[in-house]
Amino acid sequence: MQQAPEAMTLKVIAHIHTAFPTKFGIPRQSGLVEELRGEIVFTPEYRNPDALRGLEDFSHIWLVWQFSGAVRENWSPTVRPPRLGGNTRVGVFATRSPFRPNPLGLSSVKLEAIEQRPDVGPVLIVRGADLMDGTPIYDIKPYIPYADCHPDAAEGFTGQTRTHHLEVSCLETLWQTVPEADRAALQGVLASDPRPSYQHDPQRVYGMEFAGLEVHFTVDGAQLTVQDITLL
């Protein structure tokens, strides 16, 4: 039997544009904040509408992408998931950590629309992405409910670390500085607690960049208070 080569070259087919210029604040999994909007723009070689023929019939798609902000030369067989406090080690293949032998991510997102633009060709409008702005995408596949959804699947250690939600408090004068189209998404991101899960100092002021804004906030128990919102 002919053996496949030990390595392969992947081509970037597209990049996604999101509200997150840095990693801090990005939801821990796709779909947690459905209001988050993203645009997938194909590289010139793949701006062929025929490649997307029939995709409009699917409501969700899979994105195969690169953890471009976490590329390393070496890898470790164990990692420390933040949701376990940052001290417990788990096998890398039992996590979705970005620090992997091949820094590939997999996200399921809602396909809201396919737009044809004269300058860049077809653009996919998606919701619920957990990707940083500019992330390279290697492949796109349709999400197929009967094959991809397993309601009775065991959830491992993640069953103990389900995302909790915070109450968000923000002065109306601050909230008005956020464009109306971005408010629901920002509210969802803050409510899902963007902090590292092992940090609990109620006096600490966190800063997060989002859609051209810098948002500063504190968290005390289950209450997140926005301290300031400024333009970048």
Side-chain angles (χ1 to χ4, degrees):
M1 178 179 12
Q2 183 178 3
Q3 289 189 333
E6 298 258 331
M8 65 178 293
T9 300
L10 298 178
K11 290 187 175 182
V12 175
I13 66 166
H15 294 87
I16 189 168
H17 298 288
T18 70
F20 296 99
T22 66
K23 293 183 292 183
F24 186 80
I26 296 177
R28 295 174 178 87
Q29 303 291 342
S30 58
L32 292 181
V33 182
E34 294 183 357
E35 296 86 356
L36 283 172
R37 186 179 189 272
E39 294 189 355
I40 297 174
V41 178
F42 289 88
T43 56
E45 183 179 354
Y46 302 101
R47 291 175 182 173
N48 188 333
D50 287 341
L52 302 174
R53 189 184 302 171
L55 190 63
E56 69 277 3
D57 296 329
F58 294 89
S59 65
H60 292 73
I61 55 177
W62 289 107
L63 304 178
V64 180
W65 48 278
Q66 182 192 45
F67 286 103
S68 53
V71 177
R72 293 182 174 182
E73 289 291 331
N74 301 313
W75 72 284
S76 170
T78 61
V79 295
R80 295 181 292 183
R83 297 305 268 174
L84 289 178
N87 295 314
T88 302
R89 285 198 170 273
V90 178
V92 65
F93 298 131
T95 74
R96 296 190 178 186
S97 167
F99 306 114
R100 326 181 63 78
N102 295 305
L104 296 178
L106 180 67
S107 297
S108 172
V109 298
K110 183 177 181 180
L111 178 60
E112 186 170 87
I114 302 176
E115 297 181 357
Q116 297 293 332
R117 299 181 183 175
D119 53 341
V120 294
V123 175
L124 306 186
I125 310 301
V126 298
R127 294 281 181 178
D130 55 339
L131 284 73
M132 189 168 65
D133 185 52
T135 293
I137 294 175
Y138 292 125
D139 202 5
I140 295 169
K141 302 175 185 291
Y143 178 95
I144 303 174
Y146 80 84
D148 296 344
C149 181
H150 303 280
D152 299 326
E155 53 191 345
F157 72 83
T158 64
Q160 311 165 38
T161 62
R162 291 176 181 267
T163 301
H164 62 282
H165 287 271
L166 303 176
E167 292 293 327
V168 177
S169 173
C170 181
L171 292 175
E172 187 62 25
T173 52
L174 289 177
W175 203 240
Q176 291 298 324
T177 65
V178 181
E180 188 172 356
D182 294 326
R183 290 175 192 170
L186 178 57
Q187 171 86 16
V189 169
L190 294 174
S192 64
D193 193 356
R195 301 173 301 164
S197 57
Y198 48 83
Q199 293 182 356
H200 302 287
D201 182 0
Q203 303 301 318
R204 179 166 183 168
V205 178
Y206 299 88
M208 182 183 76
E209 295 182 18
F210 180 88
L213 303 170
E214 186 160 10
V215 183
H216 293 94
F217 62 91
T218 57
V219 180
D220 189 355
Q223 181 74 43
L224 182 149
T225 303
V226 177
Q227 303 292 335
D228 192 23
I229 301 177
T230 57
L231 289 172
L232 288 172

